[in-house]
Amino acid sequence: IQGDFSVRVNPQSKFAVDETFNRVIDCFNKMAEELGSVETLRTDFIANVSHDLRTPLTTIYGACGLLRENFGGFSRQQQMKLLSQVQEDSESLIHMVENLLSVTRIDSSKVSLSKTPVVLEELIDSVLVKFKKRCPEQNIDVEIPDDFISIPMDPILIEQVLLNILENAVYHAKGMTELVLKVELNDKNAIFSVLDNGCGISAEVKDKIFNGYVSHSDAPSDGSRNNMGIGLSVCSTIVKAHGGTIYAENRAEGGAKFYFILQAEDTHEQ
């Protein structure tokens, strides 16, 4: 959609049917305002994606250039440090691309979300294995019901949601010493929660944390990975595509809680 969404039509009073006509004008103005908001979100999202892709690419390019131009001048320890940096930033790029592909997949009208019954314990085991590869030094306390539980979902996408939220805690919950992955059943719903005891969510970020455009002025100043807005926006998109809801809040005892709710039973099946 393209156009000038700042255009507004002024109400009219010279027509006999001015009340009806003005309602049409009011609807037009509201539509233009909403389209303008969507365009702003899209522009901000693209700007942040571009920034977050450029940052690791710049690091990779710089490290490779140093090694190529002066390979023999570095000790083996220095070479391994540069290569490790390249590997880490390459993995970061892969995760970002996976997130963007997931959004594209869900938004595409050609692809429908395929939900199948997934055993909860198997889902959590798979998430923990992948998370351990990405963040080997981070411990997680897991709390899930002992009962056999099967939840209809796209397991690849829900794994990605959990991994995004867990990684968000690792990279952004400053001062965190405890990370908990918890699943509870409430009536016909399954509640997935990730809790930490870190710095919590700032008021500036909280209201736009799932919008996909957390500004870089809100990002950490310590140089840590700052693609928080993209990853959490993808989480929101995936959860909503499942017919669920996702929330973020600060805990009374300190830290943050991210949780989302999915139907534990497929209401479309008899």
Side-chain angles (χ1 to χ4, degrees), residues 59-73:
T59 303
I60 292 170
Y61 181 82
C64 290
L66 286 172
L67 286 171
R68 181 180 179 182
E69 294 174 5
N70 193 25
F71 185 82

Side-chain angles (χ1 to χ4, degrees), residues 105-106 108-113:
R105 172 187 169 191
I106 292 172
S108 173
S109 59
K110 299 179 182 179
V111 181
S112 59
L113 190 66

Side-chain angles (χ1 to χ4, degrees), residues 111-127:
V111 181
S112 59
L113 190 66
S114 176
K115 293 196 289 185
T116 57
V118 176
V119 178
L120 176 62
E121 186 175 359
E122 294 178 359
L123 171 75
I124 298 302
D125 285 345
S126 179
V127 169

Side-chain angles (χ1 to χ4, degrees), residues 51-64 80-98 134 167 171 223-227:
H51 182 281
D52 289 332
L53 289 175
R54 189 185 303 115
T55 300
L57 281 173
T58 301
T59 303
I60 292 170
Y61 181 82
C64 290
M80 292 305 297
K81 183 177 181 180
L82 287 170
L83 289 173
S84 295
Q85 192 173 35
V86 169
Q87 182 179 18
E88 181 180 343
D89 284 316
S90 297
E91 290 172 351
S92 177
L93 279 174
I94 290 171
H95 299 332
M96 273 191 275
V97 171
E98 287 174 347
R134 299 184 185 184
E167 287 187 339
Y171 298 128
S224 61
R225 300 184 190 187
N226 53 12
N227 60 334

